Amino acid sequence: SLNVGYVRMNETNVTFPYYVNQSSLINAPIQRGDYEFASATWSRQLRSGVQFLAQYNRMLGNNQGDIFSVQLTFPLGGYRQGSISHVNTDAGESYNRVQAMRTPAYNNGVGWHFAADDSSARNRYGYVDWRTSKVDVLLSSGESNGQSRHYGSLRGSLIGMGGDLYLSRHVVDAFAVVDTGYPDVPIYSGNHYVGNTNAKGKLLLPRLHGYSDNKIALKADDLPPNVSIEKEETYVVPKRRSGLNVSMPVKAVNSFMFNAYDVDGKILPVG
């Protein structure tokens, strides 16, 4: 496949190497509003999950230049992948880079990314991304041109809705509070398990998409046999940077079984 794109950065004093589609590396610090580039990328899927990628970046504005790179990406199993690449610049520099990464699970997972190259800057970079049901933790460290930088962040949200407070992961776009009225019900957003409802039968979903259909579901197979549900899934369209209350009632059912016998002591058939 062939993709063509344009990017304009609005950052100040970027000191870490900036990876463009994990294939092109820009080492120089940049100033706000003076960094932009156009790119063309061609990729092809090979056997066993291996992908070949070739990319050309044309630097524009105050940082003009050309970067060409080729890359092989391959799976390592368990949400992990690695890559090796070769980069050429119009300044005459040619270098190689290796990367390995693990994508964190949607909820309650750990991911990481490590990269190094043999360019004149001797770039080294790595981070660990820990996602919990309450907060996101990010720790990173890098070295370029002999200078080290370290960074850490802890992000979360405190949301009040329907008289309740929820400590949650950082809300990027939109959110919803699912109310089942029944405790410990597993809830899914899309095809991802998010968590179980609390003692009040509620659960906050912090990662919905504004102005888009968001599938929210529960599964009858996850529930005890003495409950009934009105619906297993629903679709909601929240506004951007806002939340919704979503009712998906789960009710306990009181039932009993008995046997009826005829005068001879035999069990009567059903019906």
Side-chain angles (χ1 to χ4, degrees):
S1 64
L2 177 65
N3 297 288
V4 178
Y6 168 82
V7 174
R8 180 178 177 84
M9 298 293 293
N10 251 348
E11 302 292 337
T12 302
N13 294 327
V14 174
T15 53
F16 279 124
Y18 179 77
Y19 290 89
V20 181
N21 290 339
Q22 302 176 4
S23 63
S24 295
L25 182 63
I26 298 100
N27 297 318
I30 58 178
Q31 301 300 319
R32 180 173 296 276
D34 69 353
Y35 175 59
E36 54 185 328
F37 69 89
S39 68
T41 304
W42 181 82
S43 62
R44 182 178 179 85
Q45 197 72 30
L46 306 178
R47 294 182 178 179
S48 303
V50 178
Q51 184 183 51
F52 173 79
L53 182 146
Q55 185 177 63
Y56 169 76
N57 287 320
R58 174 66 177 176
M59 314 306 296
L60 306 172
N62 297 329
N63 296 289
Q64 292 190 7
D66 299 302
I67 299 176
F68 177 75
S69 64
V70 292
Q71 175 177 287
L72 277 178
T73 301
F74 43 87
L76 298 175
Y79 299 103
R80 298 185 298 268
Q81 68 177 25
S83 70
I84 54 175
S85 54
H86 180 77
V87 182
N88 283 303
T89 73
D90 63 349
E93 185 171 20
S94 177
Y95 57 89
N96 303 295
R97 181 173 62 255
V98 295
Q99 297 184 87
M101 66 204 74
R102 183 185 190 278
T103 303
Y106 178 82
N107 200 28
N108 292 328
V110 177
W112 43 262
H113 185 163
F114 300 101
D117 65 42
D118 61 357
S119 67
S120 58
R122 291 294 190 268
N123 297 293
R124 307 288 186 269
Y125 177 73
Y127 71 78
V128 176
D129 181 9
W130 180 26
R131 299 177 182 176
T132 75
S133 60
K134 305 298 182 184
V135 295
D136 293 336
V137 181
L138 177 67
L139 299 173
S140 68
S141 181
E143 180 178 331
S144 181
N145 288 313
Q147 296 184 343
S148 298
R149 298 288 187 275
H150 310 286
Y151 173 80
S153 69
L154 180 68
R155 299 198 305 171
S157 300
L158 183 62
I159 296 174
M161 196 169 207
D164 296 312
L165 285 176
Y166 302 90
L167 178 62
S168 168
R169 293 176 60 194
H170 177 61
V171 175
V172 178
D173 193 348
F175 66 92
V177 174
V178 179
D179 187 359
T180 66
Y182 196 89
D184 205 32
V185 176
I187 301 296
Y188 300 82
S189 177
N191 296 318
H192 300 285
Y193 166 74
V194 180
N196 287 22
T197 56
N198 61 18
K200 294 183 178 181
K202 297 180 179 182
L203 179 69
L204 176 74
L205 307 182
R207 296 296 175 99
L208 301 188
H209 303 287
Y211 301 109
S212 299
D213 282 330
N214 295 265
K215 179 183 176 182
I216 300 174
L218 53 85
K219 298 179 180 179
D221 292 342
D222 292 339
L223 302 175
N226 64 329
V227 300
S228 66
I229 58 177
E230 291 186 4
K231 53 187 174 183
E232 288 197 22
E233 64 181 49
T234 187
Y235 289 83
V236 298
V237 183
K239 295 180 180 179
R240 191 179 181 194
R241 301 190 180 279
S242 66
L244 293 174
N245 278 307
V246 180
S247 179
M248 300 184 72
V250 176
K251 298 179 180 179
V253 177
N254 295 320
S255 60
F256 63 92
M257 296 181 62
F258 65 91
N259 291 324
Y261 298 85
D262 61 16
V263 292
D264 296 324
K266 298 180 180 180
I267 297 178
L268 294 173
V270 177

